[in-house]
Amino acid sequence: MKKRKILEFAGEWALKLSVGISLAFLFLFLFMIFSKGAGRLSISFLTQMPKNGMTEGGIFPAIIGTLSLTLLSMLIAFPLGVLSGIFLSEYGKPAWLVSIIKTSINTLSGTPSIVFGLFGLSVFVIGFNMGVSILSGSLTLAVLILPIIINATVESIKSVPFDFREAAFSLGATKRQVITRVILPAAAPGILTGSIISVGRAAGETAPILFTAATFYTRRLPKSVMDEVMAMPYHIYALMTEGTAPESQVPIAYGTAVVLLLLVLIINGTAILIRYRMRKRRNW
Amino acid sequence: MKELIKVRDLNLHFKELHVLKSINMEIYDKTVTSVIGPSGCGKSTYLRCFNRMNDLKDAAIDGEIILDEENIYSRATDVTSLRMKVGMVFQKPNPFPKSIFENTAFGLKIQGKMKGSEIEGRVEQSLRDVWLWDEVKDRLKDSAMSLSGGQQQRLCMARALATNPEIILLDEPTSALDPRSTNKIEELCVELKKEVTILIVTHNIAQAARISDYTAFLYLGELVEYGETKLMFTVPKDKKTEEYISGKFG
Ligand SMILES: Nc1ncnc2c1ncn2[C@@H]1O[C@H](COP(=O)(O)OP(=O)(O)O)[C@@H](O)[C@H]1O
Ligand SMILES: [Mg+2]
């Protein structure tokens, strides 16, 4: 009797302690980044070019770079991923082939991102002769987030009740109509949420763009997708590893980290909001 | 009585399982025909033969079902137009997570033949046909999921009726409903047979007796007895039928 009580007590406290430690790490993380970087934040930090060998000025080109890489990679990966997901769930046959494809996709999504960087270098930069450019970087990021979007699509479609399918078929809908009018609208919240979270992933990755898109320093904005760009994650990396004036460059790196963090928070917050609002509307 | 459908030597297998065994039967125009039998005897499977919903389930079917002089299992049959002619309502109400209006208009919209104003007219008519119009006319844009179970089931009937089918198949449409909603659906069946032919599966023997003109008793995939409901419930020909309708098994 006594032993059981002690076990109960110890168990509960072990759980509480674990949550406490996890939260402490989270707050410490946010506190460190913000306390070191938030001081740099200002309108001019967001809108100005770097100056004096990146010891002063803003990070405008890095923001533009990250936004264009993220946007373009999404434009490539979203349609491809959603269509592939639909194919795998609705048309894929035979079943064993589909399961091999799904396993490969899952393996791919567990691959370290630096490997995607090397892949992008050899295939897009060199193979297709696209050079170090927004296009090469976006394609590489697209390959990286494709599995996330495909999985989100497959899982969301799977969660649509069979009843809806049956009802639509019984009304004389063709397979295409069942998919476009019933399954996709019902699966949309899940697909969107998964895809937006993958945008956050793309925005924050350094390794895939290291050899394919990013440049250390440029004072001009990209004119086309064939230009190389600065990007926030790489900017942080570059300032911290190759900077020549750490006392003025390290704060800029932390400032950039805060901006990047806020960007990812906004993106994920949007995803959560969409999911919440659409969940409230659906009730099956 | 005019024969609308003829079932000829219908057999159905799921892999090795022989589910429907050489069924022959005629279904008469503008009547209510019920299919009764213990659970697992193949009632739902049989019902789904009439709009080829078993096609979704990899069933092997031979024999014929002749509707309007044509075998619906012939190669020439267009399954989607067959399903517009033969509507279906399921055991569990299954409206789409869309508005009441969009649910009712679904069949018409996928046909793509009608203009918006015509569709609105048909939607109203179908909702009136199932006595739902007065309850929902002010909230057509609301989600169908906000309706009660009984209302949802009538909405599903309206959805099936909107394309003007010749036949409506109902698979235990009241088994998930309360007694009042059940009554409504039963009365509705009797009313609707002026316009359409109704084929209803039910595990409720009293329900079959109340609303159907003809009754088919299915047992282990065989059509044991088929005939006028009145006759069958007073003087069943088969011993098994008698046992089943008197509640000895089921
Ligand atoms: N998709 C399927 N695959 C294999 N067997 C099935 C399938 N659907 C139904 N069955 C089998 O067919 C038989 C008849 O089922 P069903 O028509 O649902 O019976 P009822 O509606 O009379 O309860 C049952 O033995 C059931 O297990
Ligand atoms: Mg059944």
Side-chain angles (χ1 to χ4, degrees):
Chain A
M1 191 64 212
K2 201 132 189 218
K3 199 173 149 204
R4 263 178 57 188
K5 253 195 178 147
I6 293 171
L7 278 178
E8 284 292 308
F9 184 79
E12 200 182 316
W13 274 96
L15 295 177
K16 283 183 181 167
L17 201 65
S18 308
V19 176
I21 293 173
S22 307
L23 279 179
F25 272 124
L26 187 64
F27 280 115
L28 190 64
F29 164 77
L30 288 175
F31 175 76
M32 289 304 285
I33 300 286
F34 276 89
S35 66
K36 292 199 173 186
R40 296 280 333 178
L41 284 193
S42 65
I43 298 292
S44 64
F45 186 70
L46 298 177
T47 56
Q48 280 186 0
M49 297 287 169
K51 281 182 216 149
N52 289 341
M54 292 196 292
T55 53
E56 286 171 43
I59 55 165
F60 186 56
I63 294 177
I64 293 298
T66 289
L67 290 182
S68 28
L69 283 169
T70 315
L71 198 70
L72 187 57
S73 64
M74 204 56 200
L75 285 178
I76 299 164
F78 184 74
L80 260 179
V82 172
L83 293 176
S84 313
I86 294 171
F87 176 82
L88 285 179
S89 354
E90 298 295 320
Y91 293 89
K93 260 183 191 158
W96 60 266
L97 185 63
V98 173
S99 84
I100 289 179
I101 296 177
K102 284 184 182 165
T103 313
S104 326
I105 289 171
N106 283 329
T107 313
L108 207 60
S109 65
T111 307
S113 54
I114 188 75
V115 179
F116 284 93
L118 287 176
F119 165 82
L121 175 67
S122 66
V123 173
F124 302 124
V125 179
I126 299 169
F128 287 110
N129 209 10
M130 293 172 183
V132 174
S133 63
I134 296 179
L135 187 59
S136 297
S138 301
L139 284 165
T140 311
L141 285 172
V143 177
L144 177 86
I145 60 177
L146 205 50
I148 307 178
I149 299 176
I150 294 177
N151 272 336
T153 307
V154 169
E155 290 305 314
S156 313
I157 288 181
K158 208 194 277 172
S159 74
V160 176
F162 187 74
D163 295 6
F164 296 164
R165 236 171 255 263
E166 217 171 34
F169 275 119
S170 81
L171 290 160
T174 61
K175 185 159 185 175
R176 185 180 54 79
Q177 289 172 325
V178 174
I179 293 171
T180 54
R181 290 171 186 249
V182 177
I183 296 180
L184 285 184
I191 296 175
L192 282 181
T193 316
S195 304
I196 296 174
I197 285 171
S198 78
V199 174
R201 173 94 197 272
E205 281 288 349
T206 317
I209 56 171
L210 201 55
F211 322 122
T212 57
T215 178
F216 185 40
Y217 181 41
T218 169
R219 292 210 39 141
R220 60 185 189 87
L221 295 176
K223 291 206 182 60
S224 80
V225 292
M226 299 315 287
D227 281 351
E228 51 181 14
V229 281
M230 291 177 73
M232 285 191 276
Y234 183 65
H235 192 51
I236 298 171
Y237 172 76
L239 286 172
M240 297 303 288
T241 55
E242 290 166 38
T244 46
E247 61 290 344
S248 50
Q249 287 174 332
V250 168
I252 296 184
Y254 275 100
T256 311
V258 169
V259 177
L260 187 57
L261 205 60
L262 288 176
L263 179 70
V264 174
L265 282 177
I266 291 170
I267 291 171
N268 288 356
T270 313
I272 291 166
L273 199 70
I274 289 183
R275 182 167 54 192
Y276 173 75
R277 294 187 53 168
M278 289 187 154
R279 280 252 170 94
K280 242 176 47 179
R281 280 216 327 247
R282 91 170 191 190
N283 29 9
W284 65 73
Chain B
M1 274 289 172
K2 186 185 147 216
E3 289 173 4
L4 180 66
I5 304 172
K6 295 193 242 324
V7 181
R8 291 288 172 257
D9 214 17
L10 185 75
N11 280 280
L12 182 145
H13 292 257
F14 285 121
K15 302 250 162 57
E16 296 84 41
L17 190 67
H18 197 177
V19 178
L20 298 176
K21 299 168 186 165
S22 303
I23 296 182
N24 285 286
M25 158 172 168
E26 294 74 39
I27 292 164
Y28 300 98
D29 199 20
K30 311 267 184 332
T31 58
V32 176
T33 301
S34 60
V35 179
I36 60 171
S39 84
C41 71
K43 302 183 295 298
S44 300
T45 306
Y46 183 46
L47 198 70
R48 289 161 162 271
C49 287
F50 293 89
N51 60 349
R52 293 190 53 171
M53 284 299 277
N54 288 319
D55 291 15
L56 303 182
K57 293 186 169 184
D58 281 325
I61 298 165
D62 55 19
E64 297 185 333
I65 293 182
I66 296 157
L67 166 66
D68 295 335
E69 315 298 322
E70 276 175 64
N71 176 14
I72 65 169
Y73 283 98
S74 85
R75 280 173 173 267
T77 305
D78 173 18
V79 181
T80 56
S81 45
L82 169 72
R83 290 182 185 147
M84 299 213 174
K85 234 167 24 176
V86 186
M88 184 163 206
V89 176
F90 298 81
Q91 190 162 354
K92 187 169 147 259
N94 60 356
F96 300 120
K98 299 175 184 288
S99 71
I100 294 168
F101 181 87
E102 287 300 328
N103 264 282
T104 321
F106 189 87
L108 301 169
K109 287 201 170 171
I110 57 175
Q111 277 182 331
K113 288 190 206 139
M114 282 189 183
K115 284 203 295 278
S117 54
E118 282 177 283
I119 291 182
E120 280 170 30
R122 282 256 8 125
V123 165
E124 174 172 348
Q125 189 52 51
S126 310
L127 290 170
R128 281 189 192 283
D129 287 345
V130 300
W131 306 327
L132 200 57
W133 177 251
D134 289 329
E135 292 160 58
V136 302
K137 63 175 183 234
D138 301 319
R139 42 189 284 217
L140 292 174
K141 288 207 164 65
D142 288 7
S143 168
M145 302 298 184
S146 66
L147 298 173
S148 74
Q151 288 175 322
Q152 286 187 9
Q153 196 61 307
R154 279 184 286 141
L155 177 66
C156 291
M157 290 181 80
R159 183 175 67 180
L161 286 169
T163 50
N164 256 332
E166 290 176 46
I167 303 154
I168 294 271
L169 310 171
L170 302 148
D171 190 354
E172 302 195 20
T174 61
S175 65
L177 303 184
D178 60 88
R180 267 192 58 205
S181 308
T182 299
N183 265 340
K184 253 201 168 128
I185 302 258
E186 288 183 5
E187 287 169 32
L188 197 51
C189 287
V190 176
E191 182 70 24
L192 285 173
K193 76 173 175 185
K194 290 177 193 152
E195 306 293 331
V196 288
T197 303
I198 294 175
L199 195 55
I200 179 171
V201 163
T202 176
H203 63 232
N204 182 337
I205 299 163
Q207 182 170 66
R210 278 195 297 271
I211 64 173
S212 65
D213 306 298
Y214 293 85
T215 298
F217 173 53
L218 218 55
Y219 183 65
L220 300 176
E222 283 180 64
L223 182 61
V224 173
E225 188 164 346
Y226 176 52
E228 280 190 59
T229 303
K230 264 185 243 136
L231 277 175
M232 193 153 133
F233 278 80
T234 44
V235 279
K237 291 194 208 93
D238 194 280
K239 185 117 195 322
K240 265 268 159 322
T241 316
E242 187 182 344
E243 282 174 20
Y244 183 70
I245 59 182
S246 60
K248 292 223 173 68
F249 70 98

